Amino acid sequence: MIHARGLARTFQTKRGREKTEVVAVAGVDLDVAEGEIVGFLGPNGAGKTTTLRMLTTLLKPTAGTATVAGHDVASDPVAVRRSIGYVSQSGSTSGEARAGDELMDHGMLYGIARRQAEARGRELFAQLELDGMWARQPRTLSGGQRRRLDIAMGLVHDPRLVFLDEPTTGLDPQARANLWTHISDLRTKRGSTIFLTTHYLDEADALCDRILVIDHGSIVASDTPDALKRQVAGDLIELVLADEQHVSEAAAQLGRLVDGATAEVDGLSVSMRVPHAPSEVPGLLRSLDGAGVALAAIEVRRPTLDDVFLTLTGRSLREEA
Amino acid sequence: MATTTTAELQATDAPSGNFVRETGIIFRRQMRLNLRNPAWIIIGLAQPVLYLALFGPLLEPLAAQIGADNAYTFFVPGLLLQLGLFGALFAGFGLIGEWRDGVIEAERVTPASRTALLLGRIGRDVALLAVQSTILIGVGYLFGLRASIVGMLIGVVITVLVGAACSAASNALALTVKSEDVMAPILNSIALPVLLLSGILLPISTETGAPGWLVAISDLMPTKYIVTGIRDAFAGDLATAGLVWAVVWAVLLFVVGLWVGTRTFRKENA
Ligand SMILES: Nc1ncnc2c1ncn2[C@@H]1O[C@H](COP(=O)(O)OP(=O)(O)O)[C@@H](O)[C@H]1O
Ligand SMILES: [Mg+2]
């Protein structure tokens, strides 16, 4: 569905008299197969939107090539536009217009006849739980409703491939969860291929078959969420001790689980990454008990995508978001 | 689940050269939005009518001095051009709001011609301008305007051509700067000298006592020739050099405006 090679984009910006070059996307290779849901995960400013705008023919790449839905973005942009739906980060409707009118006009710009556009629009309103919103002004809709309207706009011509740029940014947790259901329905019910960007780890984790991690305009990793998490050296075992006197003993025992490793000590807490932690924990508990170490708590944490991002880039995604 | 199948949609999708249809869709959408909130149309119209009511009476006793038989036959052509120039010149502000709402990008990602996206918007400005011009002439008539019907029609056509040029330029500027704060000073710094140097309110001519240097500067303004030509047309002088120049300049502005506008809208990275 999408094949990009060396896709790059630099912006010339003027700051005062000085001209500077901003490398927004620094040469991206990516392949998305039909029926996949692929997530583009990265902090703000990583180059997600810029990549999406190149793939949707809104922006000309400064280098590289891309084929989207079987058509070259540079030589046949109109054919690309006809086959894709794009839900941009910034919305798609005038706040003052009527929601239904916006959807119909949008459909008609794809060459759909007025009556069909209306039928299709009403069908999408029903599917996306926008019943009764047809005559409403988008500015009077809630954030979640407005985002669903944007999605309806992107689907009005029944595209095989849908691009979603930060579909749930700024929504409350309930509206986000609701939108996730609708996004995964796109594939299960209509067989669409979906390429979405997000800076939320839980979103990438919940929705995507495959994640491309992007940072500073380059893809730094590409795999399934689980495989990415496996790349991080194991699960985190954290022991919280009942008293200070056994901290060093606990650290020594925990460190022994992995050759050449040392546990991190922070006050009463002792922690370390251990492959296959669940099978190590029973033995560890027994030997700690034997040495008279009293535990206040023990926690085993599976790696999160945040750990992945931290391992790959040395920075936490949360700080940026 | 889908009652409208993909095959059906694609069947109607076939004729891609649907330029006129696409322009019409954009035009109707714009008209609908404008008519829902007609405040700007009314403000745009109120301005020349206020000039007519509050400035016109001052001109009446001066008519002979500025070489006119009827102060309103002299004055309305200027107001007409003012309407064409400034109504349309500020039309681009609406586009910035649309851009911020993501509408422009949403339209640009459809297969519709990008020129159609511009022309539909110019069409809106031209339609509003034609209505406003007619109302202005009607109100002028109540004040005492008497002019040749054909001449007035020609005047309105010239106004509309200039308005279309301004609308194209304004929309192009809006799409380029994408900020009201950048756009407002640019437009204001164009509007004021044009208003003062085109002889819209009073004639700028040595015969009526204007200083030579001011006449020399004003002679560089295409809009001065346009307003002079519209005055000739209103007076029923349809074969004057003034009217020919007005038409030439109006057509030229129209072509240049459209060229700049189309180029900006078709630019891949706008
Ligand atoms: N039109 C532009 N002009 C100049 N710089 C831009 C432009 N668009 C994006 N950038 C820069 O490119 C980088 C990537 O931006 P973007 O693709 O929007 O990131 P993301 O969507 O991942 O948050 C940022 O540093 C941003 O400032
Ligand atoms: Mg972005």
Side-chain angles (χ1 to χ4, degrees), chain A residues 43-50 89 165-166 197 199:
Chain A
N44 283 325
K48 304 182 295 293
T49 299
T50 306
Q89 198 172 353
D165 197 2
E166 311 251 358
T197 79
H199 63 260

Side-chain angles (χ1 to χ4, degrees), chain B residues 3-24:
Chain B
T3 54
T4 328
T5 67
T6 313
E8 260 180 280
L9 293 179
Q10 274 163 359
T12 53
D13 200 5
S16 62
N18 248 332
F19 183 70
V20 175
R21 181 175 178 273
E22 290 158 5
T23 306

Side-chain angles (χ1 to χ4, degrees), chain A residues 171-315:
Chain A
L171 298 185
D172 58 78
Q174 216 174 337
R176 292 181 65 208
N178 169 281
L179 213 53
W180 290 352
T181 325
H182 286 296
I183 293 171
S184 51
D185 275 358
L186 290 183
R187 174 175 51 188
T188 44
K189 295 200 180 154
R190 26 167 105 241
S192 309
T193 308
I194 296 162
F195 191 74
L196 64 88
T197 79
T198 181
H199 63 260
Y200 293 124
L201 301 150
D202 52 348
E203 182 158 294
D205 214 358
L207 281 175
C208 303
D209 304 326
R210 208 147 57 77
I211 295 175
L212 310 175
V213 183
I214 183 168
D215 189 35
H216 294 310
S218 303
I219 293 182
V220 291
S222 153
D223 219 323
T224 62
D226 283 336
L228 281 176
K229 288 181 216 160
R230 271 198 301 273
Q231 281 185 14
V232 181
D235 313 317
L236 189 75
I237 297 183
E238 185 181 4
L239 308 172
V240 182
L241 300 205
D243 54 71
E244 265 172 55
Q245 88 192 82
H246 291 113
V247 168
S248 56
E249 172 63 19
Q253 292 221 8
L254 188 56
R256 239 172 270 144
L257 293 180
V258 180
D259 286 341
T262 25
E264 230 171 89
V265 178
D266 180 14
L268 286 177
S269 138
V270 179
S271 61
M272 199 181 80
R273 288 203 180 277
V274 177
H276 311 294
S279 56
E280 302 277 9
V281 168
L284 177 66
L285 283 180
R286 256 195 316 275
S287 77
L288 284 170
D289 211 31
V293 178
L295 290 181
I298 176 162
E299 194 174 1
V300 177
R301 259 198 299 126
R302 310 278 305 159
T304 64
L305 282 175
D306 193 36
D307 298 325
V308 174
F309 196 80
L310 190 66
T311 313
L312 288 168
T313 67
R315 287 176 297 122

